[in-house]
Amino acid sequence: MGYYVKVERDVQLYVEDLNRKSKKPILFIHGWPANHKMFEYQFNQLPRYGYRCIGIDCRGFGYSDKPWKGYTYNRLADDIRIVIDSLKLENVTLVGHSTGGAIAIRYMSRYYGDKVSKLVLLAAAAPSLIQRPYFPYGLKKEDVTDIIEKTYKDRPKMLSDFKDMFFYQKISEPFADWFFQLGIQAASWSTAAVAETWLKEEQLFFDLGTIAIPTLILHGIHDQVCHFPLAEAQKQGIKNSVLIPFENSGHGLFWEERNKVNQELFRFIG
């Protein structure tokens, strides 16, 4: 079932909500530049085992409204808060992939983890997607500025190039086209604006230390987008956390090792 939740006067977010009667809600925040459909291989399985799966299209992406502004982690976390309140959710397992993981971490810090009982970080873009003088991991700053420039110049080509670094395992041409279409549904300005946030955002280093709930970190060792040392930094920064490496995945572990991801979610959520 899909519907819209109003988060600002002129902004509504699309929400896919499966198995609404369940009292085991899992709220999924997608990565850049996709939308909630990237979790198709989780939504195929989890509801049949009694879980309520809620997928949000962040502002600017998928079926949600695409305003010109509002793409900071603070604003995106505020959107998540409004959805949680609107749906009257309690004891949520919050799952974030890539940039969605960064948004989830900001939510935990900004709202003191309210309404969330467990956190799952899938290839999360934290504590920093890019290299910094005090954090020599992640992408080079110029790699991200190149993505932003290509977004404005030839966004389909940029998305195609990004797809090539996203997966470690070989994907079929139909799957590649499906994944490409997830990105093309976004607005060009929101695609670029979130990438700009990667460059500016440094507070996640602090945010990690505020998280006190059980946290599961799942990360592909071959990840070329959010390099594996980011996961190790998350493990070090979040006291009550467990890191599980995925030996046969890049950034797209939600598909590349989908059965293992689902099994780890079953085990962690209970």
Side-chain angles (χ1 to χ4, degrees):
M1 176 181 179
Y3 49 82
Y4 285 87
V5 172
K6 187 175 182 179
V7 294
E8 286 189 295
R9 185 178 63 181
D10 299 320
V11 181
Q12 295 189 103
L13 301 190
Y14 179 80
V15 177
E16 189 75 34
D17 195 348
L18 301 180
N19 201 17
R20 294 184 67 182
K21 293 183 179 180
S22 168
K23 294 182 179 180
K24 294 183 177 181
I26 310 174
L27 182 59
F28 292 84
I29 310 176
H30 65 82
W32 178 99
N35 55 59
H36 81 278
K37 290 183 179 180
M38 66 174 285
F39 295 113
E40 174 178 328
Y41 296 91
Q42 284 65 59
F43 282 30
N44 283 343
Q45 299 295 327
L46 295 171
R48 71 177 63 186
Y49 293 99
Y51 298 98
R52 179 181 180 182
C53 289
I54 306 162
I56 300 173
D57 284 352
C58 294
R59 63 170 63 208
F61 297 85
Y63 297 129
S64 290
D65 288 340
K66 299 170 175 63
W68 181 249
K69 297 181 179 180
Y71 299 100
T72 65
Y73 287 156
N74 283 353
R75 177 64 253 184
L76 294 167
D78 291 346
D79 288 350
I80 300 302
R81 174 66 180 198
I82 293 171
V83 171
I84 288 175
D85 286 347
S86 296
L87 274 57
K88 297 181 172 58
L89 299 178
E90 300 282 349
N91 296 317
V92 176
T93 296
L94 187 60
V95 179
H97 175 265
S98 193
T99 297
I103 297 168
I105 291 169
R106 177 54 48 81
Y107 175 90
M108 296 300 298
S109 173
R110 192 167 172 82
Y111 292 102
Y112 307 100
D114 191 40
K115 311 296 183 183
V116 177
S117 58
K118 293 184 178 180
L119 175 67
V120 180
L121 302 176
L122 300 176
S128 175
L129 183 70
I130 67 167
Q131 298 175 11
R132 301 185 186 277
Y134 51 89
F135 190 73
Y137 311 109
L139 302 177
K140 295 180 180 179
K141 181 178 179 180
E142 50 265 34
D143 292 335
V144 174
T145 56
D146 185 58
I147 286 174
I148 295 169
E149 291 173 3
K150 288 181 177 178
T151 297
Y152 289 125
K153 181 180 180 180
D154 188 343
R155 186 164 65 104
K157 177 64 165 58
M158 181 279 293
L159 291 172
S160 181
D161 292 344
F162 185 69
K163 164 185 60 62
D164 293 338
M165 67 184 294
F166 200 97
F167 296 99
Y168 171 68
Q169 297 186 28
K170 182 176 176 58
I171 60 176
S172 68
E173 284 301 318
F175 185 91
D177 182 65
W178 171 79
F179 186 74
F180 174 82
Q181 292 301 325
L182 298 186
I184 212 70
Q185 288 179 28
S188 57
W189 55 88
S190 55
T191 302
V194 170
E196 290 279 4
T197 296
W198 299 339
L199 297 175
K200 299 173 184 177
E201 181 61 60
E202 298 184 62
Q203 187 182 328
L204 291 173
F205 288 94
F206 167 80
D207 291 345
L208 291 176
T210 69
I211 298 172
I213 63 171
T215 300
L216 178 65
I217 303 167
L218 308 180
H219 211 108
I221 66 171
H222 304 286
D223 199 325
Q224 298 183 58
V225 180
C226 296
H227 299 167
F228 191 74
L230 272 66
E232 295 174 324
Q234 295 160 28
K235 174 66 174 67
Q236 184 176 3
I238 302 173
K239 293 180 180 179
N240 194 11
S241 63
V242 174
L243 168 59
I244 299 178
F246 277 60
E247 304 290 336
N248 297 303
S249 292
H251 200 50
L253 71 166
F254 57 86
W255 175 80
E256 294 179 285
E257 295 186 79
R258 51 197 175 277
N259 291 334
K260 183 177 178 180
V261 167
N262 292 344
Q263 289 168 4
E264 295 298 345
L265 288 174
F266 292 145
R267 186 177 294 112
F268 180 64
I269 300 171

